[in-house]
Amino acid sequence: MADFSLVQDLEACVLSGGLSRRMGRDKALIPHPQGGCWLTRSIELSRKQGLAVHVVSSHSSHDLLASALDGVTCRSDPFPGMGPLAALSAVFGKTKALGLLVMPVDMPWLESTTLDQLIGVWKENPSVAVVSHDGNRLQPLFAIYPNDSVYRTTMLLQLASDQLRMLDWLHQVPYQTLVLPEALLRNANCPADLTVLDE
């Protein structure tokens, strides 16, 4: 578990507003092998780090589930269906935390040690984003982003120009990468992925 005194200026943001079209059912509510569902698993991992959690979603069922949990704030996705960068704008500037640990609800293989590693790198230089990398590509939805004007202003300007890609935003802000095992950073997007999770 991370040192509470060192992560008190870090909060978590769980992005849970996707439409789950390829999965055919709400991914956030799929049972997780270690208990609960994918949404509560993501919240649990963050809370084990001592972090307050923001859940961003446009689904009322997520709000009902998450709002009953300690240390969790639910925020409506301000731009439903417009993607994760737009959803992230619901939290940036709405909290006084120095940084936001962002994680998607559909990355169910993440572990506490994975969060430990990301937080450890961020603590070395909290003014620069830390973005996970699976050895082949950046994974910008599992990252820590400083909650300061450099990142907020760039995000809002990009959204105002209808540029919705996270990678386009990253090209405009400072960041470093942290290479993590590809197996932990997989996204579960379709029913076939569930059999891998259960193994």
Side-chain angles (χ1 to χ4, degrees), residues 117-183:
Q117 289 178 269
L118 196 69
I119 292 171
V121 173
W122 173 77
K123 287 189 300 186
E124 295 174 0
N125 190 359
S127 64
V128 175
V130 182
V131 182
S132 64
H133 194 291
D134 66 9
N136 294 304
R137 68 190 72 177
L138 283 171
Q139 296 291 342
L141 295 188
F142 182 57
I144 296 178
Y145 297 106
N147 183 35
D148 63 27
S149 59
V150 172
Y151 294 84
R152 289 196 305 269
T153 301
T154 306
M155 174 187 293
L156 294 176
L157 287 173
Q158 183 169 315
L159 292 174
S161 300
D162 291 325
Q163 300 176 45
L164 305 176
R165 296 181 69 242
M166 289 283 290
L167 289 176
D168 290 342
W169 177 53
L170 280 180
H171 290 325
Q172 302 179 65
V173 296
Y175 71 90
Q176 59 181 316
T177 59
L178 172 63
V179 178
L180 293 165
E182 183 179 10

Side-chain angles (χ1 to χ4, degrees), residues 176-198:
Q176 59 181 316
T177 59
L178 172 63
V179 178
L180 293 165
E182 183 179 10
L184 299 178
L185 300 179
R186 286 176 294 173
N187 289 104
N189 293 313
C190 62
D193 295 331
L194 300 181
T195 59
V196 178
L197 181 61
D198 291 333

Side-chain angles (χ1 to χ4, degrees), residues 13-16 38 42 102-108 110 141-142 187:
C13 177
V14 177
L15 300 177
S16 184
W38 291 8
S42 299
V102 177
M103 57 195 302
V105 77
D106 60 357
M107 204 174 269
L110 289 175
L141 295 188
F142 182 57
N187 289 104

Side-chain angles (χ1 to χ4, degrees), residues 72-87:
V72 179
T73 300
C74 296
R75 298 184 181 276
S76 296
D77 187 337
F79 306 101
M82 301 300 285
L85 184 64

